[in-house]
Amino acid sequence: MPSDDYRRPTPAEVAAATERTIPDVVGPGLRVLFAGINPGLYSAATGHHFARPGNRFWPALHRSGFTPRQLHPAEQAELPALGLGITNVVARASARADELTPAELVAGGAILAALATRWQPRYLAVLGVTAYRTAFGRRRAAIGPQEDTVGGVPVWVLPNPSGLNAHFQLDDLAREFAALRLQAGAG
């Protein structure tokens, strides 16, 4: 359940969230570190990853078996105890991921590699194949496990859970997340 102090941001608060960042949710012993492309304005306004209503990250995480129940974005601090973490390829918020430049994605990829090196999760899951291709120069990358590592950590590319990604429905996302969960093992 969301904490008592959680409230939806106003439209003005969302509009003012451009360029904000959200702290990473990380810790030792992670099975999977999920890396979104970058925070949306709604998420930046709340301070919670994947917070926009309609984003399918939290439902996919639960339906795939990573969490015992569907968590609310305001409960993201519970993830490290489950062996899970969240970060972003690019830290700054924007209305849409396509507002990011290739240079920002490459720079963000280097920062993400350093984060993976520091925390050494079992897997780094990048949520968006196009962002992964650009950030790491892997033009032919596809959804699923990758041959290369990032920061010495095996990489698994997942579909972007944004409601704007019409190519993958929630059941498809949950299936892809579940494949990673099986490889990453129990907490």
Side-chain angles (χ1 to χ4, degrees), residues 47-63:
H48 305 297
H49 294 272
F50 303 104
R52 178 174 279 293
N55 189 294
R56 298 162 306 170
F57 175 79
W58 298 101
L61 201 64
H62 171 61
R63 287 189 186 188

mmCIF file with all atom_site columns, all heavy atoms in Angstrom, residues 47-63:
data_model
loop_
_atom_site.group_PDB
_atom_site.id
_atom_site.type_symbol
_atom_site.label_atom_id
_atom_site.label_alt_id
_atom_site.label_comp_id
_atom_site.label_asym_id
_atom_site.label_entity_id
_atom_site.label_seq_id
_atom_site.pdbx_PDB_ins_code
_atom_site.Cartn_x
_atom_site.Cartn_y
_atom_site.Cartn_z
_atom_site.occupancy
_atom_site.B_iso_or_equiv
_atom_site.pdbx_formal_charge
_atom_site.auth_seq_id
_atom_site.auth_comp_id
_atom_site.auth_asym_id
_atom_site.auth_atom_id
_atom_site.pdbx_PDB_model_num
ATOM 1   N N   . GLY A 1 47 ? 8.866  11.333  -7.086  1.00 0.00 ? 47 GLY A N   1
ATOM 2   C CA  . GLY A 1 47 ? 10.087 10.793  -6.500  1.00 0.00 ? 47 GLY A CA  1
ATOM 3   C C   . GLY A 1 47 ? 10.114 9.273   -6.494  1.00 0.00 ? 47 GLY A C   1
ATOM 4   O O   . GLY A 1 47 ? 10.946 8.665   -5.840  1.00 0.00 ? 47 GLY A O   1
ATOM 5   N N   . HIS A 1 48 ? 9.194  8.649   -7.248  1.00 0.00 ? 48 HIS A N   1
ATOM 6   C CA  . HIS A 1 48 ? 9.097  7.188   -7.289  1.00 0.00 ? 48 HIS A CA  1
ATOM 7   C C   . HIS A 1 48 ? 9.252  6.690   -8.725  1.00 0.00 ? 48 HIS A C   1
ATOM 8   O O   . HIS A 1 48 ? 8.661  7.251   -9.648  1.00 0.00 ? 48 HIS A O   1
ATOM 9   C CB  . HIS A 1 48 ? 7.760  6.716   -6.727  1.00 0.00 ? 48 HIS A CB  1
ATOM 10  C CG  . HIS A 1 48 ? 7.480  7.219   -5.348  1.00 0.00 ? 48 HIS A CG  1
ATOM 11  N ND1 . HIS A 1 48 ? 8.262  6.893   -4.268  1.00 0.00 ? 48 HIS A ND1 1
ATOM 12  C CD2 . HIS A 1 48 ? 6.517  8.052   -4.885  1.00 0.00 ? 48 HIS A CD2 1
ATOM 13  C CE1 . HIS A 1 48 ? 7.783  7.497   -3.187  1.00 0.00 ? 48 HIS A CE1 1
ATOM 14  N NE2 . HIS A 1 48 ? 6.738  8.207   -3.543  1.00 0.00 ? 48 HIS A NE2 1
ATOM 15  N N   . HIS A 1 49 ? 10.010 5.627   -8.887  1.00 0.00 ? 49 HIS A N   1
ATOM 16  C CA  . HIS A 1 49 ? 10.233 5.041   -10.204 1.00 0.00 ? 49 HIS A CA  1
ATOM 17  C C   . HIS A 1 49 ? 8.950  4.427   -10.753 1.00 0.00 ? 49 HIS A C   1
ATOM 18  O O   . HIS A 1 49 ? 8.169  3.835   -10.005 1.00 0.00 ? 49 HIS A O   1
ATOM 19  C CB  . HIS A 1 49 ? 11.311 3.961   -10.127 1.00 0.00 ? 49 HIS A CB  1
ATOM 20  C CG  . HIS A 1 49 ? 12.661 4.481   -9.778  1.00 0.00 ? 49 HIS A CG  1
ATOM 21  N ND1 . HIS A 1 49 ? 13.545 4.938   -10.739 1.00 0.00 ? 49 HIS A ND1 1
ATOM 22  C CD2 . HIS A 1 49 ? 13.288 4.640   -8.577  1.00 0.00 ? 49 HIS A CD2 1
ATOM 23  C CE1 . HIS A 1 49 ? 14.654 5.336   -10.143 1.00 0.00 ? 49 HIS A CE1 1
ATOM 24  N NE2 . HIS A 1 49 ? 14.523 5.163   -8.834  1.00 0.00 ? 49 HIS A NE2 1
ATOM 25  N N   . PHE A 1 50 ? 8.753  4.564   -12.072 1.00 0.00 ? 50 PHE A N   1
ATOM 26  C CA  . PHE A 1 50 ? 7.618  3.962   -12.777 1.00 0.00 ? 50 PHE A CA  1
ATOM 27  C C   . PHE A 1 50 ? 6.280  4.319   -12.117 1.00 0.00 ? 50 PHE A C   1
ATOM 28  O O   . PHE A 1 50 ? 5.404  3.473   -11.954 1.00 0.00 ? 50 PHE A O   1
ATOM 29  C CB  . PHE A 1 50 ? 7.786  2.433   -12.873 1.00 0.00 ? 50 PHE A CB  1
ATOM 30  C CG  . PHE A 1 50 ? 9.056  2.005   -13.538 1.00 0.00 ? 50 PHE A CG  1
ATOM 31  C CD1 . PHE A 1 50 ? 10.119 1.515   -12.794 1.00 0.00 ? 50 PHE A CD1 1
ATOM 32  C CD2 . PHE A 1 50 ? 9.201  2.114   -14.917 1.00 0.00 ? 50 PHE A CD2 1
ATOM 33  C CE1 . PHE A 1 50 ? 11.300 1.127   -13.406 1.00 0.00 ? 50 PHE A CE1 1
ATOM 34  C CE2 . PHE A 1 50 ? 10.379 1.723   -15.540 1.00 0.00 ? 50 PHE A CE2 1
ATOM 35  C CZ  . PHE A 1 50 ? 11.431 1.237   -14.784 1.00 0.00 ? 50 PHE A CZ  1
ATOM 36  N N   . ALA A 1 51 ? 6.122  5.581   -11.741 1.00 0.00 ? 51 ALA A N   1
ATOM 37  C CA  . ALA A 1 51 ? 4.953  6.000   -10.956 1.00 0.00 ? 51 ALA A CA  1
ATOM 38  C C   . ALA A 1 51 ? 3.728  6.378   -11.775 1.00 0.00 ? 51 ALA A C   1
ATOM 39  O O   . ALA A 1 51 ? 2.622  6.394   -11.236 1.00 0.00 ? 51 ALA A O   1
ATOM 40  C CB  . ALA A 1 51 ? 5.338  7.185   -10.059 1.00 0.00 ? 51 ALA A CB  1
ATOM 41  N N   . ARG A 1 52 ? 3.885  6.680   -13.044 1.00 0.00 ? 52 ARG A N   1
ATOM 42  C CA  . ARG A 1 52 ? 2.722  7.122   -13.826 1.00 0.00 ? 52 ARG A CA  1
ATOM 43  C C   . ARG A 1 52 ? 1.668  6.028   -13.875 1.00 0.00 ? 52 ARG A C   1
ATOM 44  O O   . ARG A 1 52 ? 1.974  4.883   -14.174 1.00 0.00 ? 52 ARG A O   1
ATOM 45  C CB  . ARG A 1 52 ? 3.112  7.492   -15.253 1.00 0.00 ? 52 ARG A CB  1
ATOM 46  C CG  . ARG A 1 52 ? 1.886  7.908   -16.099 1.00 0.00 ? 52 ARG A CG  1
ATOM 47  C CD  . ARG A 1 52 ? 2.233  8.415   -17.456 1.00 0.00 ? 52 ARG A CD  1
ATOM 48  N NE  . ARG A 1 52 ? 2.647  9.799   -17.496 1.00 0.00 ? 52 ARG A NE  1
ATOM 49  C CZ  . ARG A 1 52 ? 1.871  10.844  -17.238 1.00 0.00 ? 52 ARG A CZ  1
ATOM 50  N NH1 . ARG A 1 52 ? 0.641  10.664  -16.875 1.00 0.00 ? 52 ARG A NH1 1
ATOM 51  N NH2 . ARG A 1 52 ? 2.336  12.060  -17.334 1.00 0.00 ? 52 ARG A NH2 1
ATOM 52  N N   . PRO A 1 53 ? 0.419  6.376   -13.568 1.00 0.00 ? 53 PRO A N   1
ATOM 53  C CA  . PRO A 1 53 ? -0.652 5.393   -13.739 1.00 0.00 ? 53 PRO A CA  1
ATOM 54  C C   . PRO A 1 53 ? -0.646 4.915   -15.196 1.00 0.00 ? 53 PRO A C   1
ATOM 55  O O   . PRO A 1 53 ? -0.485 5.704   -16.116 1.00 0.00 ? 53 PRO A O   1
ATOM 56  C CB  . PRO A 1 53 ? -1.923 6.184   -13.424 1.00 0.00 ? 53 PRO A CB  1
ATOM 57  C CG  . PRO A 1 53 ? -1.449 7.309   -12.537 1.00 0.00 ? 53 PRO A CG  1
ATOM 58  C CD  . PRO A 1 53 ? -0.069 7.654   -13.042 1.00 0.00 ? 53 PRO A CD  1
ATOM 59  N N   . GLY A 1 54 ? -0.765 3.652   -15.394 1.00 0.00 ? 54 GLY A N   1
ATOM 60  C CA  . GLY A 1 54 ? -0.700 3.092   -16.740 1.00 0.00 ? 54 GLY A CA  1
ATOM 61  C C   . GLY A 1 54 ? 0.647  2.479   -17.055 1.00 0.00 ? 54 GLY A C   1
ATOM 62  O O   . GLY A 1 54 ? 0.763  1.697   -17.995 1.00 0.00 ? 54 GLY A O   1
ATOM 63  N N   . ASN A 1 55 ? 1.706  2.825   -16.285 1.00 0.00 ? 55 ASN A N   1
ATOM 64  C CA  . ASN A 1 55 ? 2.984  2.155   -16.493 1.00 0.00 ? 55 ASN A CA  1
ATOM 65  C C   . ASN A 1 55 ? 2.828  0.731   -15.966 1.00 0.00 ? 55 ASN A C   1
ATOM 66  O O   . ASN A 1 55 ? 2.275  0.511   -14.900 1.00 0.00 ? 55 ASN A O   1
ATOM 67  C CB  . ASN A 1 55 ? 4.121  2.885   -15.782 1.00 0.00 ? 55 ASN A CB  1
ATOM 68  C CG  . ASN A 1 55 ? 5.469  2.317   -16.175 1.00 0.00 ? 55 ASN A CG  1
ATOM 69  O OD1 . ASN A 1 55 ? 5.778  1.170   -15.875 1.00 0.00 ? 55 ASN A OD1 1
ATOM 70  N ND2 . ASN A 1 55 ? 6.272  3.122   -16.850 1.00 0.00 ? 55 ASN A ND2 1
ATOM 71  N N   . ARG A 1 56 ? 3.353  -0.213  -16.697 1.00 0.00 ? 56 ARG A N   1
ATOM 72  C CA  . ARG A 1 56 ? 3.107  -1.617  -16.373 1.00 0.00 ? 56 ARG A CA  1
ATOM 73  C C   . ARG A 1 56 ? 4.262  -2.303  -15.649 1.00 0.00 ? 56 ARG A C   1
ATOM 74  O O   . ARG A 1 56 ? 4.249  -3.515  -15.463 1.00 0.00 ? 56 ARG A O   1
ATOM 75  C CB  . ARG A 1 56 ? 2.751  -2.347  -17.669 1.00 0.00 ? 56 ARG A CB  1
ATOM 76  C CG  . ARG A 1 56 ? 1.468  -1.745  -18.249 1.00 0.00 ? 56 ARG A CG  1
ATOM 77  C CD  . ARG A 1 56 ? 1.225  -2.036  -19.677 1.00 0.00 ? 56 ARG A CD  1
ATOM 78  N NE  . ARG A 1 56 ? 2.364  -1.662  -20.506 1.00 0.00 ? 56 ARG A NE  1
ATOM 79  C CZ  . ARG A 1 56 ? 2.474  -1.995  -21.783 1.00 0.00 ? 56 ARG A CZ  1
ATOM 80  N NH1 . ARG A 1 56 ? 1.540  -2.693  -22.361 1.00 0.00 ? 56 ARG A NH1 1
ATOM 81  N NH2 . ARG A 1 56 ? 3.520  -1.639  -22.495 1.00 0.00 ? 56 ARG A NH2 1
ATOM 82  N N   . PHE A 1 57 ? 5.233  -1.527  -15.191 1.00 0.00 ? 57 PHE A N   1
ATOM 83  C CA  . PHE A 1 57 ? 6.371  -2.130  -14.494 1.00 0.00 ? 57 PHE A CA  1
ATOM 84  C C   . PHE A 1 57 ? 5.922  -2.892  -13.250 1.00 0.00 ? 57 PHE A C   1
ATOM 85  O O   . PHE A 1 57 ? 6.257  -4.066  -13.073 1.00 0.00 ? 57 PHE A O   1
ATOM 86  C CB  . PHE A 1 57 ? 7.400  -1.056  -14.105 1.00 0.00 ? 57 PHE A CB  1
ATOM 87  C CG  . PHE A 1 57 ? 8.534  -1.600  -13.276 1.00 0.00 ? 57 PHE A CG  1
ATOM 88  C CD1 . PHE A 1 57 ? 9.574  -2.282  -13.874 1.00 0.00 ? 57 PHE A CD1 1
ATOM 89  C CD2 . PHE A 1 57 ? 8.552  -1.443  -11.896 1.00 0.00 ? 57 PHE A CD2 1
ATOM 90  C CE1 . PHE A 1 57 ? 10.623 -2.799  -13.122 1.00 0.00 ? 57 PHE A CE1 1
ATOM 91  C CE2 . PHE A 1 57 ? 9.585  -1.952  -11.129 1.00 0.00 ? 57 PHE A CE2 1
ATOM 92  C CZ  . PHE A 1 57 ? 10.630 -2.628  -11.741 1.00 0.00 ? 57 PHE A CZ  1
ATOM 93  N N   . TRP A 1 58 ? 5.199  -2.228  -12.372 1.00 0.00 ? 58 TRP A N   1
ATOM 94  C CA  . TRP A 1 58 ? 4.814  -2.850  -11.101 1.00 0.00 ? 58 TRP A CA  1
ATOM 95  C C   . TRP A 1 58 ? 3.900  -4.057  -11.295 1.00 0.00 ? 58 TRP A C   1
ATOM 96  O O   . TRP A 1 58 ? 4.126  -5.106  -10.673 1.00 0.00 ? 58 TRP A O   1
ATOM 97  C CB  . TRP A 1 58 ? 4.222  -1.808  -10.160 1.00 0.00 ? 58 TRP A CB  1
ATOM 98  C CG  . TRP A 1 58 ? 5.230  -0.743  -9.833  1.00 0.00 ? 58 TRP A CG  1
ATOM 99  C CD1 . TRP A 1 58 ? 5.309  0.507   -10.378 1.00 0.00 ? 58 TRP A CD1 1
ATOM 100 C CD2 . TRP A 1 58 ? 6.333  -0.845  -8.926  1.00 0.00 ? 58 TRP A CD2 1
ATOM 101 N NE1 . TRP A 1 58 ? 6.395  1.172   -9.868  1.00 0.00 ? 58 TRP A NE1 1
ATOM 102 C CE2 . TRP A 1 58 ? 7.032  0.380   -8.969  1.00 0.00 ? 58 TRP A CE2 1
ATOM 103 C CE3 . TRP A 1 58 ? 6.798  -1.857  -8.086  1.00 0.00 ? 58 TRP A CE3 1
ATOM 104 C CZ2 . TRP A 1 58 ? 8.165  0.610   -8.194  1.00 0.00 ? 58 TRP A CZ2 1
ATOM 105 C CZ3 . TRP A 1 58 ? 7.922  -1.614  -7.308  1.00 0.00 ? 58 TRP A CZ3 1
ATOM 106 C CH2 . TRP A 1 58 ? 8.595  -0.396  -7.374  1.00 0.00 ? 58 TRP A CH2 1
ATOM 107 N N   . PRO A 1 59 ? 2.874  -3.972  -12.179 1.00 0.00 ? 59 PRO A N   1
ATOM 108 C CA  . PRO A 1 59 ? 2.071  -5.180  -12.430 1.00 0.00 ? 59 PRO A CA  1
ATOM 109 C C   . PRO A 1 59 ? 2.895  -6.320  -13.046 1.00 0.00 ? 59 PRO A C   1
ATOM 110 O O   . PRO A 1 59 ? 2.727  -7.486  -12.670 1.00 0.00 ? 59 PRO A O   1
ATOM 111 C CB  . PRO A 1 59 ? 0.985  -4.703  -13.403 1.00 0.00 ? 59 PRO A CB  1
ATOM 112 C CG  . PRO A 1 59 ? 0.883  -3.237  -13.177 1.00 0.00 ? 59 PRO A CG  1
ATOM 113 C CD  . PRO A 1 59 ? 2.282  -2.794  -12.810 1.00 0.00 ? 59 PRO A CD  1
ATOM 114 N N   . ALA A 1 60 ? 3.803  -6.009  -13.975 1.00 0.00 ? 60 ALA A N   1
ATOM 115 C CA  . ALA A 1 60 ? 4.626  -7.052  -14.595 1.00 0.00 ? 60 ALA A CA  1
ATOM 116 C C   . ALA A 1 60 ? 5.569  -7.673  -13.571 1.00 0.00 ? 60 ALA A C   1
ATOM 117 O O   . ALA A 1 60 ? 5.791  -8.895  -13.575 1.00 0.00 ? 60 ALA A O   1
ATOM 118 C CB  . ALA A 1 60 ? 5.415  -6.484  -15.772 1.00 0.00 ? 60 ALA A CB  1
ATOM 119 N N   . LEU A 1 61 ? 6.112  -6.856  -12.692 1.00 0.00 ? 61 LEU A N   1
ATOM 120 C CA  . LEU A 1 61 ? 7.008  -7.355  -11.652 1.00 0.00 ? 61 LEU A CA  1
ATOM 121 C C   . LEU A 1 61 ? 6.279  -8.379  -10.783 1.00 0.00 ? 61 LEU A C   1
ATOM 122 O O   . LEU A 1 61 ? 6.821  -9.443  -10.469 1.00 0.00 ? 61 LEU A O   1
ATOM 123 C CB  . LEU A 1 61 ? 7.508  -6.175  -10.809 1.00 0.00 ? 61 LEU A CB  1
ATOM 124 C CG  . LEU A 1 61 ? 8.769  -6.361  -10.010 1.00 0.00 ? 61 LEU A CG  1
ATOM 125 C CD1 . LEU A 1 61 ? 9.971  -6.606  -10.908 1.00 0.00 ? 61 LEU A CD1 1
ATOM 126 C CD2 . LEU A 1 61 ? 9.010  -5.140  -9.126  1.00 0.00 ? 61 LEU A CD2 1
ATOM 127 N N   . HIS A 1 62 ? 5.046  -8.065  -10.419 1.00 0.00 ? 62 HIS A N   1
ATOM 128 C CA  . HIS A 1 62 ? 4.266  -8.989  -9.587  1.00 0.00 ? 62 HIS A CA  1
ATOM 129 C C   . HIS A 1 62 ? 3.819  -10.233 -10.368 1.00 0.00 ? 62 HIS A C   1
ATOM 130 O O   . HIS A 1 62 ? 4.006  -11.360 -9.919  1.00 0.00 ? 62 HIS A O   1
ATOM 131 C CB  . HIS A 1 62 ? 3.047  -8.277  -8.998  1.00 0.00 ? 62 HIS A CB  1
ATOM 132 C CG  . HIS A 1 62 ? 2.107  -9.210  -8.316  1.00 0.00 ? 62 HIS A CG  1
ATOM 133 N ND1 . HIS A 1 62 ? 2.480  -9.967  -7.232  1.00 0.00 ? 62 HIS A ND1 1
ATOM 134 C CD2 . HIS A 1 62 ? 0.827  -9.534  -8.588  1.00 0.00 ? 62 HIS A CD2 1
ATOM 135 C CE1 . HIS A 1 62 ? 1.457  -10.720 -6.860  1.00 0.00 ? 62 HIS A CE1 1
ATOM 136 N NE2 . HIS A 1 62 ? 0.451  -10.483 -7.675  1.00 0.00 ? 62 HIS A NE2 1
ATOM 137 N N   . ARG A 1 63 ? 3.239  -10.028 -11.534 1.00 0.00 ? 63 ARG A N   1
ATOM 138 C CA  . ARG A 1 63 ? 2.727  -11.163 -12.320 1.00 0.00 ? 63 ARG A CA  1
ATOM 139 C C   . ARG A 1 63 ? 3.822  -12.141 -12.720 1.00 0.00 ? 63 ARG A C   1
ATOM 140 O O   . ARG A 1 63 ? 3.562  -13.317 -12.931 1.00 0.00 ? 63 ARG A O   1
ATOM 141 C CB  . ARG A 1 63 ? 2.008  -10.676 -13.570 1.00 0.00 ? 63 ARG A CB  1
ATOM 142 C CG  . ARG A 1 63 ? 0.672  -10.056 -13.275 1.00 0.00 ? 63 ARG A CG  1
ATOM 143 C CD  . ARG A 1 63 ? -0.065 -9.804  -14.561 1.00 0.00 ? 63 ARG A CD  1
ATOM 144 N NE  . ARG A 1 63 ? -1.295 -9.074  -14.321 1.00 0.00 ? 63 ARG A NE  1
ATOM 145 C CZ  . ARG A 1 63 ? -2.202 -8.865  -15.251 1.00 0.00 ? 63 ARG A CZ  1
ATOM 146 N NH1 . ARG A 1 63 ? -2.020 -9.320  -16.485 1.00 0.00 ? 63 ARG A NH1 1
ATOM 147 N NH2 . ARG A 1 63 ? -3.299 -8.192  -14.973 1.00 0.00 ? 63 ARG A NH2 1
#
